[in-house]
Amino acid sequence: MNTVIQVDNLRTHLFTKAGVVKAVDNVSFSVARGKILGLVSKSGSRKSMTDYSIMSLIDAPGRIVGGKILLNSDNVIGLKPQQWRGLRGNRIASIFQDPMMTLNVLRIDTQMIEAIQAHEKINKVNARERCRAALARVGMPSPDERLNAYPHQFSVGIRQRVAIATAILNKPDLIIADETPTALDVTIQGQILFEMQKFFHESGTALIPSGCGAVGMSEVDYILELKNISKRFIKKLDLAGKIPSAIGVGAREETVHAVDGVSLNVKRGEVVGLVGESGCGKSTLGRVVVGIHPQTKVSAGEWA
């Protein structure tokens, strides 16, 4: 069986004022085509740093100091930024725990179509249809309408589905998923994980999920446990980059019934859990209750 990714004695160090932190120290594994390798361990045990090292997303004060990362037998350590732009989103894709590390302020169809056209000569009509199909595959309600919307209009769970759909657009050889299901509500996690597993086995794409993503999948082929917990460090790595504070993009006005006819009563000392699929109004209801988001109408005598 063909090996998609092979990591040999990978070492990534962080050079801080307090000293050198061995964030990734002699990690080795390989994943064959269509297989799933789960990375599991406690928080702080370098799962994300391993993922970012493979994607060459390590910022100062960190850098890869040793080892090999072979993608389809090609060593990708030391590639120039221009070469990585040809790989990311095409041969290797990522799904971050925070979906806004993938998305920006532009309309969803603009972002997803650009992700296809960056690697393939295809017209916008066909590219948009591929985007719609990818959104439908990850269980996105009303995918055509979502393509015309903006990320700030979505809940975190809906944004995460967009990020997953974007990752599978070009059927990459490898997808790295960093704690992916944590932004999804419990009623939809199983469906998304099932569809992801189905896609990987059908397309031959290899998958490296970490944390909850690895635990939640029922058909993980291999499990790699990272046991050595690295030292904590203060400086936060800027992996997402900076988004301009203001971009002139058009927007259309429309009425969305985010919370419609909701009633509940919570007594002192009680706990009431709100559950539902992504985008059903849970977050909006919470913001209205604490006064962050203004409500448009509340029946007299029912708000206290």
Side-chain angles (χ1 to χ4, degrees), residues 52 94-106 108 111-112 140 151-152 154-167 178-184 239-240 243 278:
Y52 297 148
S94 56
I95 307 171
F96 296 108
Q97 183 176 10
D98 179 1
M100 289 308 293
M101 293 180 69
T102 299
L103 305 175
N104 56 48
V105 299
L106 300 179
I108 297 300
Q111 299 183 55
M112 296 185 71
M140 179 72 78
H152 73 269
F154 295 159
S155 66
V156 177
I158 292 292
R159 292 174 189 165
Q160 188 62 279
R161 292 195 222 187
V162 175
I164 295 172
T166 302
D178 184 29
E179 300 276 5
T180 299
T182 55
L184 300 172
L239 299 171
I243 298 177
S278 302

Side-chain angles (χ1 to χ4, degrees), residues 24-199:
V24 180
D25 192 22
N26 291 321
V27 171
S28 299
F29 59 83
S30 63
V31 189
R33 190 168 303 279
K35 295 297 183 179
I36 301 174
L37 169 71
L39 297 181
V40 297
S41 64
K42 295 180 180 180
S43 298
S45 57
R46 69 199 179 182
K47 298 187 299 295
S48 294
M49 289 298 294
T50 301
D51 293 342
Y52 297 148
S53 297
I54 295 173
M55 294 288 295
S56 190
L57 293 175
I58 301 297
D59 285 342
R63 69 171 183 267
I64 297 175
V65 298
K68 293 181 180 181
I69 302 175
L70 304 178
L71 180 63
N72 292 325
S73 301
D74 296 327
N75 193 354
V76 297
I77 293 181
L79 292 183
K80 297 180 180 179
Q82 184 177 359
Q83 293 173 301
W84 267 111
R85 283 195 292 271
L87 291 179
R88 294 194 194 102
N90 186 23
R91 293 176 59 193
I92 180 171
S94 56
I95 307 171
F96 296 108
Q97 183 176 10
D98 179 1
M100 289 308 293
M101 293 180 69
T102 299
L103 305 175
N104 56 48
V105 299
L106 300 179
R107 215 168 71 169
I108 297 300
D109 60 349
T110 300
Q111 299 183 55
M112 296 185 71
I113 290 173
E114 186 179 83
I116 297 176
Q117 292 184 327
H119 305 287
E120 181 180 345
K121 290 184 178 180
I122 183 174
N123 61 54
K124 286 189 176 181
V125 174
N126 292 334
R128 196 177 195 279
E129 175 56 29
R130 191 193 298 181
C131 297
R132 189 205 63 78
L135 290 176
R137 180 151 201 172
V138 298
M140 179 72 78
S142 305
D144 290 300
E145 294 181 13
R146 304 294 185 177
L147 284 172
N148 294 325
Y150 295 86
H152 73 269
Q153 297 173 303
F154 295 159
S155 66
V156 177
I158 292 292
R159 292 174 189 165
Q160 188 62 279
R161 292 195 222 187
V162 175
I164 295 172
T166 302
I168 68 175
L169 276 176
N170 295 318
K171 296 183 179 180
D173 298 320
L174 172 68
I175 292 181
I176 297 175
D178 184 29
E179 300 276 5
T180 299
T182 55
L184 300 172
D185 53 82
V186 293
T187 61
I188 203 67
Q189 282 187 16
Q191 175 188 342
I192 299 299
L193 291 173
F194 174 78
E195 288 296 334
M196 289 176 66
Q197 289 176 175
K198 184 178 178 182
F199 167 81

Side-chain angles (χ1 to χ4, degrees), residues 192-237:
I192 299 299
L193 291 173
F194 174 78
E195 288 296 334
M196 289 176 66
Q197 289 176 175
K198 184 178 178 182
F199 167 81
F200 296 126
H201 290 310
E202 290 177 354
S203 65
T205 297
L207 172 66
I208 303 178
S210 61
C212 295
V215 175
M217 288 191 168
S218 60
E219 296 183 9
V220 174
D221 297 294
Y222 311 100
I223 290 289
L224 176 64
E225 182 179 5
L226 303 178
K227 295 183 178 180
N228 297 326
I229 300 178
S230 61
K231 293 166 56 179
R232 297 181 64 183
F233 58 96
I234 297 176
K235 182 175 176 63
K236 183 178 180 181
L237 302 180

